[in-house]
């Protein structure tokens, strides 16, 4: 009787307390989600939920879509990578679990998922219960971010992964001032690379998604040291107009991506694409990634962010090399020579030549010498002699008038032409007329409009030229897999090596084999600025060529290449002369004049006149094409 009496009193009272909780759970009293399937299907197909899971269309997936994320630890459901509805159900079950530890663990691990579900299911009292999340709150206080900037370091030809530039984010406190962001946090997405991979395997794995990619955070001064100081790359800082709520959404999702692995692809699923996803998380109403279905070149993504009205302010941060060049430019010729001598031997500051200068000019010479010493130091470990010279120079600089420099900012990246190009035109080769079609996957050549691109840098990938001749029909005239040129001018202080490498197929004028050549060539040399708009260059070159008609499968050659590049008001002009001697005793020569006519940011005409000849004969060619960049 006592048991019956206890149950008759306890169960109704307990039910009064438990019933609201059970009713609030998906599936009501039975804690079953089946009754809410229509609502769950709607929520699971929403763009915000798919964005939280980084889903994209995928014809190979049984559900028609899948996640970019390849880390199984990111998903709560076994099939969560390919099924957004199943992942939503698993998330709801965990966040409304009867086990408080499970609820707390999952809610703190996925704070933005929880916040979004709270907004979608406001009557779910268990879901609405706050979570303590001490680890997340500690991290959030350490980041201390109220503002976000998109940072674009310019292209760096010596690194395949940064050849097209790079982007990362910087998180600033609310009270940060200009030039005081050094201690702000920087967010980078990059590939985790095996240091034992050679260059060829590195490029292959980078293009094929063979490396995992992860987000990482570090202090901003470390990125400045890496890009501006070590690699001599200009940096562009774009402060974004994100609201505090949007910044908070981005940080909550970053916590969810902590230690999560993606596949990294150099050309599409790269640093730039991952950051666009974060901006979409912060502001779901402004899609960005859909504009880049095939490639995500960093400069193009910067343009998309600006066009999407995300940017409030832009600032230029010149590299150490640019600052040094500006200091050198401001010196008279005798002062440049003196600065070079002082850098090598600070005791020269006691010479008559140095003492005869006014204090302001002494400061300019000493500061240039110190900047050059710092520039040289980046190439090697700090030596006792270098430390002694730097200290002597700093002592003298502290006693002289300050000499600050602010180089004029070049045209920003967003003003450059589009990275992909198509062209149509025609011409004549030895009297035989042809029509030419061209498609260039990316990115920029030396004759293209210069604004927005690094000076002296050519990066071409996937450039195909087709020609139609009246007598012979269509032919593949040329296909460049890669064609890179770095022409950095030398002076008294800076003596960079100019270099080039190119691989692909081309038609050649040969007196030994056919006109089809599959080849790899490269070279090294020097470039010089004669005037501000005229540069000379020269290379020693080497070539490996496969011609089906040659007796040997691979024929090597050595050669020379020289010419000039002239910046005219209407566009760049170049003249180039090349000669090659092959092991088969063949000699080839080629001379070409090219003129680019800039019409607008994404429109140009390109005209050329060339002559090729060998031991026995020669041919000439002339043509003009219209080029459209996008």
């Amino acid at each position: 009787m006592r048991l019956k009496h206890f149950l008759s009193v306890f169960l109704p009272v307990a039910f009064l307390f438990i019933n609201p909780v059970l009713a609030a759970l998906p599936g009501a009293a039975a804690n079953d989600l089946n009754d809410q399937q229509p609502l769950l299907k709607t929520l699971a197909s929403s763009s915000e939920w798919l964005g939280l899971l980084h889903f994209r269309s995928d014809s190979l997936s049984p559900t028609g879509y899948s996640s970019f994320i390849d880390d199984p630890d990111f998903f709560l459901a076994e099939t969560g990578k390919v099924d957004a509805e199943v992942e939503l159900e698993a998330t709801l079950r965990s966040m409304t679990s009867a086990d408080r530890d499970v609820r707390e663990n999952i809610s703190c691990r996925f704070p933005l998922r929880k916040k979004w579900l709270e907004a979608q299911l406001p009557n779910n009292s268990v879901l609405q219960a706050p979570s303590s999340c001490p680890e997340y709150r500690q991290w959030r206080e350490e980041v201390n971010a109220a503002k976000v900037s998109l940072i674009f370091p310019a292209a760096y030809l010596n690194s395949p992964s940064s050849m097209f530039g790079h982007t990362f984010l910087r998180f600033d406190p609310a009270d940060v001032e200009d030039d005081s962001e050094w201690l702000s946090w920087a967010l980078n997405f990059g590939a985790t690379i095996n240091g034992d991979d050679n260059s060829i395997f590195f490029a292959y794995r980078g293009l094929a998604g063979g490396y995992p990619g992860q987000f990482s955070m570090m202090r901003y001064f470390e990125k400045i040291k890496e890009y501006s100081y070590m690699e001599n790359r200009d940096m562009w800082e774009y402060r974004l107009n994100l609201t505090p709520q949007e910044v908070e959404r981005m940080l909550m999702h970053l916590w969810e991506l902590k230690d999560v692995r993606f596949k990294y692809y150099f050309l599409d699923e790269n640093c730039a694409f991952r950051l666009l996803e974060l901006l979409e998380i912060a502001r779901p109403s402004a899609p960005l990634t859909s504009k880049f279905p095939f490639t995500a070149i960093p400069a193009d993504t910067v343009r998309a962010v600006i066009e999407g009205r995300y940017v409030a302010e832009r600032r230029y941060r010149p590299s150490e090399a640019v600052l040094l060049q500006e200091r050198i430019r401001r010196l008279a010729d005798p002062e440049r020579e003196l600065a070079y001598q002082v850098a090598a031997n600070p005791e020269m500051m006691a010479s008559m030549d140095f003492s005869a200068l006014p204090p302001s000019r002494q400061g300019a010479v000493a500061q240039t010498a110190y900047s050059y010493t710092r520039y040289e130091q980046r190439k090697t470990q700090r030596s006792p002699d270098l430390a002694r010279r730097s200290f002597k120079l700093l002592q003298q600089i502290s006693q002289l008038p300050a000499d600050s420099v602010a180089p004029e900012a070049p045209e920003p990246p967003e003003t450059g032409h589009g990275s992909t190009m198509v062209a149509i035109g025609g011409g004549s080769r030895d009297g035989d007329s042809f029509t030419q079609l061209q498609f260039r996957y990316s990115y920029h050549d030396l004759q293209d409009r210069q604004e927005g691109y690094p000076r002296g840098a050519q990066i071409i990938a996937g450039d195909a030229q087709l020609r139609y001749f009246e007598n012979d029909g269509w032919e593949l005239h040329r296909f460049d897999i890669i064609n890179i040129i770095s022409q950095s001018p030398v002076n008294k202080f800076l003596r960079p090596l100019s270099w080039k490498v190119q691989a692909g197929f081309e038609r050649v004028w040969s007196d030994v084999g056919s006109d089809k050549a599959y080849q790899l060539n490269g070279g090294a040399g020097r470039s010089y600025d004669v005037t501000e708009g005229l540069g000379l260059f020269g290379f020693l070159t080497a070539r490996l060529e496969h011609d089906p008609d040659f007796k040997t499968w691979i024929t090597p050659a050595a050669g020379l290449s020289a010419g000039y590049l002239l910046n005219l008001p209407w566009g760049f002009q170049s003249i180039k002369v090349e000669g090659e001697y092959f092991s088969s005793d063949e000699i080839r020569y080629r001379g070409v004049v090219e003129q680019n006519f800039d019409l607008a940011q994404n429109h140009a005409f390109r005209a050329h006149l060339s002559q090729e000849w060998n031991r026995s004969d020669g041919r000439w060619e002339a043509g003009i094409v219209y080029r459209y960049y996008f």
Side-chain angles (χ1 to χ4, degrees), residues 239-242 279-280 283 286 288 305-306 308-312:
R239 185 170 64 82
L240 305 179
N241 56 15
L242 299 179
L279 292 177
E280 287 182 336
R283 187 178 292 173
L288 292 171
V305 171
I306 293 172
R309 301 182 182 277
Y310 279 87
V311 175

Side-chain angles (χ1 to χ4, degrees), residues 56 119 192 201 214 232 251 257 263 281 288 299 316 333 337 377 433 448 450 457 539 543 554 580 606 627:
R56 42 75 189 277
T192 304
F201 195 57
Q214 286 182 302
N232 289 322
L251 289 170
L257 297 177
K263 284 184 179 179
I281 292 293
L288 292 171
Y316 169 62
D333 288 342
E337 181 62 33
Q377 176 186 329
S433 298
D448 282 333
Q450 183 63 49
F539 294 91
R543 180 182 178 99
I554 293 290
E580 292 173 316
R606 179 77 59 87
R627 300 161 68 94

Side-chain angles (χ1 to χ4, degrees), residues 146-151 168-172 237-243 246-247 250 275 279 282-283 302 305-306 309-314:
K147 296 184 287 189
V148 181
S149 293
L150 175 68
I151 313 298
F168 62 95
L169 296 179
R170 189 187 70 219
F171 295 94
D172 297 321
E237 302 171 347
Y238 298 87
R239 185 170 64 82
L240 305 179
N241 56 15
L242 299 179
T243 65
E246 290 170 341
V247 174
M250 180 184 289
L275 297 188
L279 292 177
R283 187 178 292 173
V302 170
V305 171
I306 293 172
R309 301 182 182 277
Y310 279 87
V311 175
E313 182 183 8
R314 180 188 64 225

Side-chain angles (χ1 to χ4, degrees), residues 269-285:
E269 296 175 38
N270 53 21
C271 60
F273 189 84
R274 294 278 90 92
L275 297 188
L276 293 184
E277 286 187 311
L278 286 181
L279 292 177
E280 287 182 336
I281 292 293
R283 187 178 292 173
S285 60

